[in-house]
Amino acid sequence: MPTAERVLLRPVTMGLLLQSLLLLLFLLLLGCCLRPAAAFPKGCYPSEEEGLKTFRCSNARLTEVPRDIPNDTNKLYLDSNRIPFLPRDAFRDLPLLLELDLSHNAIASVESGAFRGLAEHLHSLDLSSNRLVSVNKDAFSNLKAKVNLSNNPWLCDCRLQELVRTVELVAGSSGGIVCDSSAQEEHVGKAFLQVIADTDLCNVYKKTTDIAMLVTMFGWFAMVISYLVYYVRQNQEDARRHLEYLKSLPSKQRRSEESSTISTVV
């Protein structure tokens, strides 16, 4: 190719190469800024309902709380999945969340701080139909939402009493909080609010603890007394034998040993 033509084609080639690089850079930036639909877990999708941004993951076979939930979500549906527990800060990136549905899962444990960051806006929390037996009240610390705790296999004790008195229950849901187990057999199968209306489970627990402490203290006291009695009797027996031994000695040596023995016993 003549030299003149090569000189003319060189700027064109450089221009095409520069355009290709700019297009590639643009596509990379576009991929970073926009979230593809495939980033959401299978069975999950965003929508808008009544002007509120909603994210639905119902019946999605989830075994944990998804991480790629849009942070401007107002309503989150994670119901009818297989989630076994709620870890600390599970929803910390959802500051605008108003409603959270976790019903019909396998949740058996809720860590303290699981709902941290939701205290200001969340007004509805559904934990019904899970596997909750006992939950520390601190897990719901500062939460103002109305909570549904019905249809769980609850252990009716002081811990549940403190929890129920800490949260605000959804209207009409209290009858579904039923004692699946209890330290007192007569409470099993009864509605929990009916149980605590007749019995303060925290006072019962305190009395039981006090009685156990008294029994333990009495046991230690009895052991100390028994040891002292044994010690005194053993010393008396040893002194008696020593005195009998002294009686068999000559009189002068006996008097000296008796004085020493009496002083020792006293």
Side-chain angles (χ1 to χ4, degrees):
M1 179 179 293
T3 304
E5 292 182 3
R6 286 202 299 268
V7 171
L8 291 174
L9 287 175
R10 185 178 297 171
V12 175
T13 304
M14 293 298 294
L16 291 173
L17 180 60
L18 181 60
Q19 288 181 0
S20 299
L21 290 173
L22 289 175
L23 180 60
L24 179 61
L25 180 62
F26 174 75
L27 291 174
L28 289 173
L29 291 174
L30 188 66
C32 292
C33 297
L34 297 180
R35 184 199 302 268
F40 299 136
K42 184 178 180 181
C44 299
Y45 60 92
S47 64
E48 188 165 329
E49 300 177 5
E50 300 176 350
L52 297 175
K53 292 188 176 181
T54 303
F55 194 74
R56 287 189 174 273
C57 286
S58 304
N59 290 295
R61 299 184 179 181
L62 299 177
T63 56
E64 63 180 3
V65 176
R67 298 179 182 179
D68 298 319
I69 302 173
N71 57 16
D72 59 351
T73 299
N74 303 128
K75 299 170 70 175
L76 177 59
Y77 292 89
L78 299 175
D79 56 300
S80 303
N81 283 290
R82 304 170 184 174
I83 301 172
F85 76 101
L86 300 179
R88 184 187 302 271
D89 296 323
F91 307 98
R92 66 178 179 179
D93 296 325
L94 302 173
L96 303 180
L97 198 61
L98 302 174
E99 298 181 18
L100 177 56
D101 189 349
L102 290 160
S103 64
H104 297 90
N105 272 281
I107 300 171
S109 174
V110 180
E111 292 186 359
S112 294
F115 303 110
R116 185 160 48 191
L118 303 182
E120 293 299 322
H121 297 92
L122 192 69
H123 62 71
S124 176
L125 173 60
D126 194 346
L127 284 166
S128 63
S129 300
N130 276 283
R131 298 178 184 175
L132 296 171
V133 175
S134 183
V135 178
N136 194 305
K137 65 177 181 178
D138 293 339
F140 298 87
S141 180
N142 300 320
L143 205 61
K144 300 174 183 177
K146 293 183 179 180
V147 184
N148 188 346
L149 299 172
S150 62
N151 299 321
N152 282 281
W154 290 109
L155 166 64
C156 289
D157 59 1
C158 178
R159 201 176 190 187
L160 179 57
Q161 180 174 310
E162 290 179 339
L163 172 62
V164 168
R165 290 178 176 175
T166 298
V167 302
E168 181 180 357
L169 297 176
V170 172
S173 69
S174 60
I177 304 176
V178 177
C179 300
D180 188 73
S181 59
S182 175
Q184 301 182 44
E185 192 65 29
E186 65 269 20
H187 295 161
V188 176
K190 290 185 178 180
F192 184 66
L193 291 190
Q194 178 186 346
V195 170
I196 60 175
D198 301 326
T199 307
D200 188 336
L201 296 180
C202 291
N203 277 344
V204 169
Y205 174 78
K206 185 176 182 301
K207 289 178 180 178
T208 303
T209 304
D210 290 344
I211 291 172
M213 289 180 64
L214 286 173
V215 170
T216 302
M217 290 175 63
F218 178 78
W220 279 105
F221 182 74
M223 288 176 62
V224 171
I225 294 298
S226 299
Y227 176 77
L228 289 175
V229 170
Y230 169 80
Y231 180 79
V232 170
R233 287 182 176 177
Q234 187 66 30
N235 280 355
Q236 287 178 344
E237 184 66 19
D238 290 344
R240 184 184 64 78
R241 290 175 181 173
H242 191 59
L243 288 173
E244 289 179 354
Y245 166 74
L246 293 177
K247 288 178 181 180
S248 65
L249 297 176
S251 59
K252 183 179 286 189
Q253 184 180 357
R254 184 174 59 199
R255 289 193 191 97
S256 176
E257 293 287 346
E258 283 178 351
S259 298
S260 177
T261 301
I262 291 171
S263 298
T264 302
V265 172
V266 172

